[in-house]
Amino acid sequence: MGRNQSFGRSEGWNMDKTLKILLYILLIPVGLIILFYGGFAAILILSDQASYDGNELYIGSIDFDSVLAKAEASGYDTDGWIRLNETNLIEPGNVEALEERFQNGYRVHRVELYYNENTYLEFCKYDGPETIVTLFNYSHSDISTPLEPSEFPDDSWMLDMLELSLGLNETGSQEFLERLKLEGAAQQWHANLATNGSVDFPAIYAYLNQSSTKNIINSGMWNDEEFYRDGEKIGYIAYIVPEISVSSSHNFNRYTLHVSSSGFVRADILMHRASAGKKIPEEEYRAVFREMFEKLGLPVEKVDELEFEYSPSVW
């Protein structure tokens, strides 16, 4: 009887030990999962930052070269289109109206010539020296298939636009169109073709001005122009003007002022890590921007017109 009791206790002890081992085996991966996701969550929390995004504000005509010099003399971090990159932007040539409008120099980022509201030719250099000519037709619903020949504009319109934009003769524009259609048959949704030829921007601008009955000029940190004939869009131009981003740190927060040669500014603040949900007193951040305006030679009173949208988190 005693031996049976002893055996029962031993068997129960072994069973408890086995259960504990199984429990430990189960807890190890659970613990690792908790540790992994807990650590990941901790990293997210510690990396999260609050921010302030400012509005775009016109402060008047500025001496952009002077702003550049004062930013460097003040020891600020600078970045942006301080000098326009001619290799991947369209050379505008000499267009008197635009020279007067921008004054401090500009380049053309993109030109669009419209056949109808859904179909247009785009001229852009993107990231290299070659000009990319692209035909878009938003009536083409299946983006995984090539444009059909019937989805191209009339040949006469295409030939006129290619002659105008690239300075081609009749034979050259015909050959270019044939190559564009051939390339487009192997592409999806749009048809594009690269060329080493230059865009004749003055000719394009003259055509759009002479052919339009209305144009809309949008000025700011981003500058563009839309052209309409009897209510229908016939052209679009995106311009690039010199711009600089000037940054300074205060209490571990990064203050950045974006300044355009066209007289527009925009301000933003990225707070330090683990600042999610925290705020900076308004008088403090305006004081920092007043100092930056003063050092850059910008009208300090305009700081009061800056408006900010607060975001408690960047995630």
Side-chain angles (χ1 to χ4, degrees):
M1 184 73 177
R3 290 178 60 185
N4 290 337
Q5 289 177 342
S6 176
F7 176 77
R9 285 195 299 271
S10 176
E11 185 178 8
W13 183 85
N14 287 333
M15 186 175 295
D16 289 344
K17 185 177 180 181
T18 301
L19 289 173
K20 287 180 179 178
I21 292 172
L22 290 173
L23 183 61
Y24 288 145
I25 292 174
L26 290 172
L27 287 176
I28 287 173
V30 173
L32 290 174
I33 292 172
I34 293 174
L35 182 63
F36 174 79
Y37 284 103
F40 184 66
I43 291 173
L44 286 179
I45 292 171
L46 292 175
S47 300
D48 204 359
Q49 298 165 270
S51 62
Y52 291 80
D53 294 318
N55 63 318
E56 190 174 291
L57 178 68
Y58 181 66
I59 61 172
S61 179
I62 64 173
D63 185 341
F64 189 70
D65 290 336
S66 175
V67 171
L68 292 179
K70 290 178 178 179
E72 294 171 356
S74 300
Y76 288 131
D77 293 333
T78 58
D79 193 13
W81 290 303
I82 299 174
R83 297 288 182 265
L84 296 179
N85 187 346
E86 298 182 12
T87 61
N88 60 4
L89 294 172
I90 296 172
E91 168 60 49
N94 184 18
V95 178
E96 186 176 349
L98 297 178
E99 294 286 345
E100 293 177 358
R101 183 190 307 174
F102 294 114
Q103 296 182 357
N104 291 76
Y106 71 99
R107 288 292 184 274
V108 176
H109 175 256
R110 187 171 80 253
V111 174
E112 298 170 358
L113 299 175
Y114 282 75
Y115 178 70
N116 57 39
E117 62 179 355
N118 291 318
T119 310
Y120 63 89
L121 270 176
E122 178 193 80
F123 300 83
C124 187
K125 286 195 174 183
Y126 293 106
D127 297 321
E130 290 185 317
T131 299
I132 309 298
V133 182
T134 307
L135 175 69
F136 291 98
N137 186 338
Y138 286 92
S139 297
H140 184 77
S141 57
D142 188 353
I143 62 174
S144 65
T145 62
L147 291 176
E148 297 292 335
S150 61
E151 293 176 308
F152 275 68
D154 292 339
D155 280 2
S156 59
W157 184 86
M158 289 287 292
L159 294 172
D160 286 345
M161 294 302 102
L162 291 172
E163 287 183 28
L164 169 77
S165 304
L166 299 176
L168 301 173
N169 58 26
E170 184 177 349
T171 301
S173 59
Q174 184 68 54
E175 291 176 352
F176 192 97
L177 179 56
E178 290 174 1
R179 289 172 56 206
L180 181 63
K181 288 182 177 181
L182 184 63
E183 291 289 331
Q187 298 169 353
Q188 296 178 346
W189 182 56
H190 62 250
N192 68 36
L193 184 63
T195 175
N196 290 321
S198 300
V199 175
D200 189 345
F201 180 74
I204 292 175
Y205 193 77
Y207 158 76
L208 290 174
N209 271 282
Q210 293 166 6
S211 304
S212 62
T213 55
K214 175 185 177 182
N215 68 323
I216 299 174
I217 298 171
N218 302 298
S219 298
M221 303 298 289
W222 178 259
N223 296 268
D224 57 22
E225 191 167 3
E226 301 169 272
F227 299 84
Y228 295 85
R229 179 169 57 223
D230 300 327
E232 294 185 1
K233 194 172 187 177
I234 64 169
Y236 171 85
I237 302 171
Y239 303 101
I240 295 291
V241 299
E243 179 184 316
I244 184 175
S245 295
V246 181
S247 298
S248 177
S249 293
H250 178 75
N251 290 341
F252 305 104
N253 300 317
R254 190 167 182 83
Y255 292 74
T256 301
L257 191 62
H258 308 276
V259 185
S260 166
S261 64
S262 56
F264 286 83
V265 301
R266 183 173 58 81
D268 57 58
I269 308 167
L270 182 62
M271 293 186 66
H272 57 80
R273 295 187 183 276
S275 61
K278 298 180 181 179
K279 291 186 175 183
I280 306 171
E282 182 178 349
E283 59 272 18
E284 180 179 329
Y285 65 69
R286 289 197 185 276
V288 173
F289 281 121
R290 285 192 186 94
E291 181 180 351
M292 293 181 72
F293 266 63
E294 184 175 5
K295 287 186 175 181
L296 295 176
L298 303 176
V300 177
E301 66 276 5
K302 289 291 184 178
V303 173
D304 294 332
E305 298 179 33
L306 292 174
E307 299 176 1
F308 295 90
E309 182 178 344
Y310 170 72
S311 175
S313 169
V314 298
W315 300 116

